[in-house]
Amino acid sequence: MQKILSGIQVKELDAQHLKLSGQSSLELMEEASKAFVSWFLEQEFSIESPVQIAVGGGNNGGDGLAIARLLTEYSYSVFILKCFDSADKLSSDALFNFNKLPDSIQVLEFVDWDLPENGILIDAFLGVGLKGDLRPDAIKIIQRLNEFVGTVISVDVPSGLASDEISRGDIVKADFTISFAFPKLSLILPEHAEFVGELVVLKIGLLGEAYEGLHSSFYYLENHDVPALHKTFNRFSYKGDMGKILLVGGSPGKMGALILCAKSALRTGSGLVTCHMEDSERFIVQTAVPEAMASWGLIPNPEFYDAVGIGPGWGTENRVRLLKQFLQDFKKPIVIDADGLNLLARNPDLLPLVPKNSVLTPHIGEFTRLVGKATNHLERLELAKRFAMDNELILVLKGANTVISLPDGRQVVNSSGNKYMATGGSGDVLTGMITSYLGMGYAPENAALCGVFHHGMAGEIASKSKRRSLIASDIIASIPDTYIQLDIS
């Protein structure tokens, strides 16, 4: 998995890559600019749209200048919005690209900026090296850029946004942020959503060896990481090999959560799924999910099951005794969600009974009740890290960029998923998927990573035709397509 480095480490990363690869810094800048332009062309922006590129004096500005030159080769009308005093203030690589600008590109002083409506603005003013407070002239530039009406695309980070911390004040509000190699940490924080827009991460050929010696506890989970996390099965595998799982949940009026959980587990690949609920509700499950079995009352012989997921739609009244008894009897890692988490929050004496390496899947509200309040998302992530390490559990903090905190201190940021998945039942689907992988014999870490990634990917696939009308059942229906797209048999 790709390390997520701090802004300070980026310069060191580049230096190590250049040393190992023999590339020049100019060649690396060209690679980044070409990657940006390839993405830009894929969006099929109208050739009639004027492109304004705000260029600063550092290497972020150098990227913008190279992008300007490359876009003219595709017949785009490009203008440079000058955000530096004079050419002698440019970095050496930026100066090189400034001198290579074709004559067709106008370079406009700040007083001459005339931003058209409905064009494209590429923000290459300030990059990852930003430190401290903005200068008054930089604030003035960002405020002017934010008056632009059209599509705004930031290069690496929106200007004014620090790479690794919560930022406030004047920041460019982008529709897209194109980050190179990995997402800078600030780009995945919910506090910055209005500035980042849609996050796109582009590879620029940095060598894996260049990351060695650069410490980070954050990692980025991407498509190419996932196949290696999966187990393989042969033609003699039978339903017992695919896992016998128990899903505990549902209550009068909330049986939908358990049904979604069961369906997602089956679609993920579970061989045998049993739903445990109140006996009055068993007909609902056996009608809605004929492939699943049902049980009720006490949980007999829990060790029969390869994995257990507990909590969706379960309720919290009169559940403590059953939960405690189950935790005392079942020693394999389990998945706990929803009301299972709420019960742990209300009864912290039960937490030590949770089997080590179990997977807890809270949204922010459940996290706050269970782990504690945080003033911002960075603080929340630190709390998640400490909780996972101290309790030897895997904590999946659900959100736009779900973060999986592991007992060894690593925190994995998921790259799949989108805003359309913010719908009731989506979390129940995830619980079924992770439990399914646990039941198939996946290591708990791999079960969590695969579950989270496939869940997000299924949401992406379903939303292509549904967008904001997407519901949790659509995510389940798209689980098979995730296996096809990742070529997992």
Side-chain angles (χ1 to χ4, degrees), residues 264 398 402 414 416-418 421 425-431 433-434 437 449-461 472 475-476 478-479 482:
S264 69
K398 296 181 290 195
T402 292
N414 183 43
S416 67
N418 57 32
M421 297 177 69
S426 179
D428 304 315
V429 173
L430 177 62
T431 298
M433 296 178 74
I434 297 175
Y437 287 127
L449 295 174
C450 288
V452 168
F453 189 86
H454 280 269
H455 178 255
M457 191 177 190
E460 290 177 1
I461 294 169
I475 300 174
I476 296 171
S478 293
I479 292 173
T482 68

Side-chain angles (χ1 to χ4, degrees), residues 467-489:
R467 297 205 177 181
R468 64 175 64 183
S469 69
L470 180 142
I471 59 175
S473 295
D474 299 324
I475 300 174
I476 296 171
S478 293
I479 292 173
D481 290 328
T482 68
Y483 290 125
I484 294 169
Q485 290 198 17
L486 294 173
D487 194 25
I488 295 166
S489 59

Side-chain angles (χ1 to χ4, degrees), residues 86-158:
S86 58
D88 62 348
K89 300 294 185 182
L90 294 171
S91 69
S92 58
D93 289 349
L95 179 61
F96 179 89
N97 278 304
F98 182 75
N99 291 330
K100 285 187 69 176
L101 288 176
D103 293 338
S104 62
I105 295 179
Q106 293 185 51
V107 179
L108 303 175
E109 299 286 345
F110 183 77
V111 295
D112 298 322
W113 290 8
D114 183 20
L115 304 181
E117 291 190 4
N118 301 318
I120 298 167
L121 171 63
I122 297 175
D123 161 35
F125 174 29
L126 301 174
V128 297
L130 176 66
K131 298 176 184 177
D133 296 332
L134 292 172
R135 303 185 313 273
D137 59 327
I139 292 174
K140 189 175 181 181
I141 288 170
I142 290 172
Q143 290 175 343
R144 183 76 174 91
L145 295 176
N146 278 335
E147 294 174 4
F148 176 77
V149 179
T151 301
V152 180
I153 309 169
S154 286
V155 178
D156 224 9
V157 293

Side-chain angles (χ1 to χ4, degrees), residues 221-436:
L221 180 65
E222 301 173 271
N223 287 41
H224 60 267
D225 298 313
V226 177
L229 302 174
H230 278 282
K231 289 185 65 177
T232 57
F233 298 93
N234 59 52
R235 65 192 183 96
F236 293 102
S237 298
Y238 73 111
K239 60 187 177 183
D241 294 330
M242 304 307 289
K244 305 181 293 292
I245 72 166
L246 177 70
L247 300 171
V248 182
S251 58
K254 295 182 179 179
M255 289 304 297
L258 187 59
I259 289 168
L260 290 169
C261 196
K263 285 185 174 181
S264 69
L266 287 161
R267 278 296 179 201
T268 301
S270 287
L272 290 166
V273 175
T274 299
C275 295
H276 186 85
M277 75 221 80
E278 295 181 23
D279 60 350
S280 63
E281 309 303 301
R282 66 183 187 272
F283 298 110
I284 296 174
V285 166
Q286 294 189 291
T287 301
V289 195
E291 300 89 347
M293 295 174 285
S295 70
W296 51 92
L298 298 176
I299 301 175
N301 191 22
E303 289 297 325
F304 168 79
Y305 300 100
D306 298 307
V308 175
I310 190 164
W314 201 29
T316 56
E317 294 298 320
N318 302 314
R319 304 298 192 198
V320 176
R321 188 164 66 111
L322 181 59
L323 177 59
K324 183 176 182 178
Q325 185 63 55
F326 171 77
L327 293 176
Q328 290 172 335
D329 293 342
F330 195 82
K331 302 305 179 183
K332 302 171 191 173
I334 62 175
V335 182
I336 305 179
D337 185 31
D339 287 322
L341 297 170
N342 292 328
L343 285 167
L344 288 180
R346 295 182 186 182
N347 303 273
D349 57 303
L350 296 181
L351 188 59
L353 299 178
V354 177
K356 303 306 179 189
N357 290 308
S358 289
V359 183
L360 280 57
T361 61
H363 55 56
I364 287 179
E366 292 161 346
F367 177 91
T368 300
R369 290 190 286 273
L370 178 66
V371 181
K373 292 182 179 180
T375 58
N376 58 57
H377 202 60
L378 275 179
E379 184 178 313
R380 188 175 295 115
L381 292 178
E382 182 60 28
L383 288 174
K385 178 179 178 179
R386 297 310 323 169
F387 180 89
M389 294 177 69
D390 292 344
N391 296 286
E392 297 181 61
L393 299 171
I394 297 170
L395 192 142
V396 176
L397 180 55
K398 296 181 290 195
N401 288 104
T402 292
V403 179
I404 302 100
S405 297
L406 301 170
D408 62 7
R410 287 177 296 146
Q411 293 185 283
V412 181
V413 179
N414 183 43
S415 66
S416 67
N418 57 32
K419 61 187 177 183
Y420 302 116
M421 297 177 69
T423 183
S426 179
D428 304 315
V429 173
L430 177 62
T431 298
M433 296 178 74
I434 297 175
T435 308
S436 179

Side-chain angles (χ1 to χ4, degrees), residues 7-50:
I8 294 174
Q9 290 175 308
V10 169
K11 187 175 182 180
E12 188 176 351
L13 171 66
D14 289 349
Q16 291 188 184
H17 167 77
L18 297 178
K19 181 180 179 180
L20 291 166
S21 67
Q23 253 187 332
S24 69
S25 56
L26 268 172
E27 289 171 330
L28 182 58
M29 183 175 285
E30 191 74 3
E31 287 299 315
S33 302
K34 285 180 178 178
F36 179 97
V37 170
S38 293
W39 172 86
F40 186 94
L41 296 174
E42 289 172 0
Q43 310 315 302
E44 299 183 345
F45 293 116
S46 172
I47 201 73
E48 303 299 323
S49 297

